[in-house]
Amino acid sequence: MGRENSEGGILLAGGTVVTLDADHRVIENGAVRVQNDRIVAVGKRGDMEKSFKGTVLEASGCIIMPGLVNAHTHLPMSLFRGLADDLPLMEWLTGHMFPAEAAHIRPETVYTATLLSCAEMLLSGTTFCCDGYFHEDSTARAVAESGMRAILAQGVIDYPAPGVPDPSKNVEAALMFVRSAKGRFPAIEPSIFCHSPYTCSAETLIRAKTAAREENVLLQIHVAETDGERDQCFAQNGVSPVGYLDRLGVLDERTLLVHAVAVDDADLSMIKKSGAAVVHVPESNMKLGSGVAPVPDMLAHGIPVALGTDGCASNNDLDMFGEAATTALLHKAFRKDPTVMNAETALRMATEKGAEALGSGSVTGSLEPGKKADIIVVDTRRPHLVPMYSPLSHLVYSARGSDVRDVMVDGRLVVRQRKLLTLDLERIMERMERLGSVVKGKA
Ligand SMILES: [Zn+2]
């Protein structure tokens, strides 16, 4: 399982290398050389094979590209996939998700459901995710076992929550997770996740941001998800949800704003000025009828925008190829302009721009020497991918997560020939089926 990597390294060779670097390099018959956990060279196969003494991973007929970045997830919610669909956000959240979470979310369900989500993500090419939920220490254990890279946050909400029955202890619980997770797993970085400005008081938001600043970690928050939230915020606070967070001093370059659907130009200027980043979650917004985030305007403002799936109870999968395609298509349809979101823009949001928005742009997101070896091999010898005029176009408009053949994270092969090497998928699915029958009986 990547043990060969410690000696002569690995050369992924022979495919089309889509680097997504600053020079937009696409290399035919290219190769990527990996030594330990890092990419050490990217170039033509012929040059790189000379004098190479390690293991060659043959990738002819494939695309070699950076692993995908899912910048917003609630991993354990795979337990509730398909449990309540076709409902408005508030009814879905308060009538179905919060009660299901109260009844079924425990450390062991979080652990098992996270294993399933990691399996789904790795097998579909996602190597890095950013998560926020409850019992996050169990999430961390499962993510570490899977071999994924992740930013993980304990959730903060002013209601009794799984594992945190007393809301006055919510920030302390999040802080405890941050301190216990720091440095514990090499590819996991802790963070704090406030559910939203309407489920967290001003005091909670300020305490959470202060704690995040003291620990130098990312603060994630759902914000401006619907027009209803925006109207309510204006009625209660006299400002927009983004304006409210700005007034509380919560916005800075270590703040990640999820959704940002109901925002205007003044909000976007505020976000840009603060240095905060946005995560666009189009399929969740579409499924819950929340609307369309003005992503082309965000990009025009120079705001870093990442892509995420959201929890798979509101998506209902974790396939980032699907999310990139939805992003490219949705904005064209919404603006009645096919030039408003091209394939490369969507693909970069799912890779290097995503990593940048998460503050990990120097670590991962593109194929460049010095970066961590988070690499995927996409099999293009498939009926829906032949012939191939433009690899970037195919990756967004035609490819699917199931086309991913091999996955490497941190220099370690975690998927080989579509088989997960780190987890026993059959056993996880059996355990999830058992948990699902409990949810079905009680939900
Ligand atoms: Zn979410």
Side-chain angles (χ1 to χ4, degrees):
M1 214 189 297
R3 297 281 170 264
E4 58 274 59
N5 189 7
S6 54
E7 289 152 34
I10 294 186
L11 191 72
L12 296 97
T16 302
V17 178
V18 174
T19 62
L20 293 166
D21 68 4
D23 299 327
H24 307 259
R25 282 198 303 162
V26 174
I27 307 160
E28 297 294 340
N29 199 16
V32 179
R33 186 172 163 189
V34 174
Q35 188 77 44
N36 300 316
D37 59 341
R38 304 264 170 194
I39 296 169
V40 292
V42 179
K44 284 296 239 184
R45 176 179 194 156
D47 304 338
M48 294 184 44
E49 237 170 4
K50 287 178 207 155
S51 79
F52 179 71
K53 302 258 188 308
T55 306
V56 175
L57 194 151
E58 185 57 53
S60 299
C62 297
I63 291 172
I64 304 169
M65 66 175 287
L68 301 175
V69 179
N70 187 345
H72 183 64
T73 60
H74 310 290
L75 298 175
M77 291 190 85
S78 54
L79 182 58
F80 305 131
R81 184 190 337 247
L83 179 65
D85 296 330
D86 310 323
L87 297 167
L89 172 65
M90 281 305 149
E91 194 182 334
W92 175 80
L93 202 57
T94 57
H96 296 270
M97 289 303 124
F98 288 164
E101 287 174 337
H104 303 292
I105 289 302
R106 298 181 301 279
E108 48 294 6
T109 51
V110 163
Y111 171 72
T112 306
T114 301
L115 287 176
L116 183 81
S117 294
C118 289
E120 183 186 353
M121 286 191 292
L122 288 173
L123 287 166
S124 56
T126 294
T127 53
F128 181 23
C129 72
C130 182
D131 184 76
Y133 205 61
F134 304 107
H135 293 301
E136 200 69 16
D137 44 348
S138 298
T139 304
R141 203 156 52 88
V143 169
E145 257 177 62
S146 79
M148 276 196 80
R149 183 179 308 288
I151 294 175
L152 305 178
Q154 166 73 24
V156 171
I157 190 165
D158 283 342
Y159 297 103
V164 193
D166 177 2
S168 71
K169 303 273 191 300
N170 53 15
V171 176
E172 285 70 18
L175 201 49
M176 219 153 73
F177 169 74
V178 168
R179 288 177 178 156
S180 72
K182 256 189 189 166
R184 189 160 144 223
F185 306 108
I188 294 178
E189 191 186 307
S191 158
I192 295 177
F193 168 56
C194 285
H195 179 268
S196 64
Y198 62 89
T199 54
C200 295
S201 67
E203 192 207 334
T204 299
L205 294 169
I206 291 168
R207 281 172 52 226
K209 185 62 199 181
T210 305
R213 280 201 182 106
E214 282 170 9
E215 296 293 329
N216 189 25
V217 297
L218 194 65
L219 181 86
Q220 311 169 42
I221 184 165
H222 294 135
V223 68
E225 184 170 0
T226 60
D227 291 340
E229 179 189 336
R230 184 178 172 86
D231 293 346
Q232 190 192 24
C233 192
F234 265 108
Q236 289 175 352
N237 307 302
V239 279
S240 69
V242 169
Y244 177 62
L245 294 184
D246 187 52
R247 194 165 76 190
L248 297 179
V250 166
L251 300 183
D252 64 22
E253 62 290 334
R254 294 288 272 157
T255 305
L256 193 63
L257 304 172
V258 181
H259 296 300
V261 172
V263 290
D264 62 13
D265 216 53
D267 293 324
L268 297 186
S269 299
M270 238 179 286
I271 295 171
K272 171 61 186 166
K273 201 170 154 214
S274 72
V278 167
V279 186
H280 180 39
V281 287
E283 291 185 7
S284 172
N285 296 153
M286 289 164 75
K287 183 157 182 276
L288 290 162
S290 302
V292 180
V295 174
D297 302 337
M298 293 173 186
L299 298 175
H301 272 84
I303 295 168
V305 183
L307 280 191
T309 56
D310 214 344
C312 63
S314 64
N315 188 297
N316 290 355
D317 63 48
L318 302 172
D319 183 346
M320 284 298 293
F321 279 99
E323 212 69 33
T326 300
T327 301
L329 299 175
L330 171 66
H331 295 283
K332 295 178 204 297
F334 188 62
R335 303 266 171 133
K336 296 183 181 169
D337 178 358
T339 67
V340 81
M341 174 70 66
N342 65 28
E344 181 166 357
T345 305
L347 192 62
R348 282 185 181 269
M349 284 163 65
T351 52
E352 60 104 8
K353 292 290 178 197
E356 183 193 319
L358 296 177
S360 302
S362 62
V363 177
T364 188
S366 61
L367 301 183
E368 294 175 71
K371 283 203 177 180
K372 292 281 194 175
D374 296 348
I375 306 169
I376 63 174
V377 176
V378 180
D379 183 2
T380 55
R381 298 294 296 166
R382 314 270 279 173
H384 55 282
L385 297 174
V386 174
M388 183 165 71
Y389 305 111
S390 159
L392 292 175
S393 162
H394 264 23
L395 288 170
V396 173
Y397 297 117
S398 309
R400 302 164 191 155
S402 55
D403 298 325
V404 173
R405 193 190 76 178
D406 309 311
V407 179
M408 179 181 273
V409 185
D410 227 20
R412 176 189 185 198
L413 272 170
V414 292
V415 174
R416 183 78 183 104
Q417 297 291 352
R418 296 191 174 84
K419 193 177 175 330
L420 198 54
L421 304 177
T422 47
L423 302 173
D424 182 345
L425 181 57
E426 280 305 319
R427 201 160 148 251
I428 294 164
M429 289 196 293
E430 276 167 27
R431 277 156 64 189
M432 282 302 285
E433 275 165 356
R434 280 204 296 277
L435 291 177
S437 54
V438 174
V439 172
K440 216 169 155 186
K442 288 190 186 165

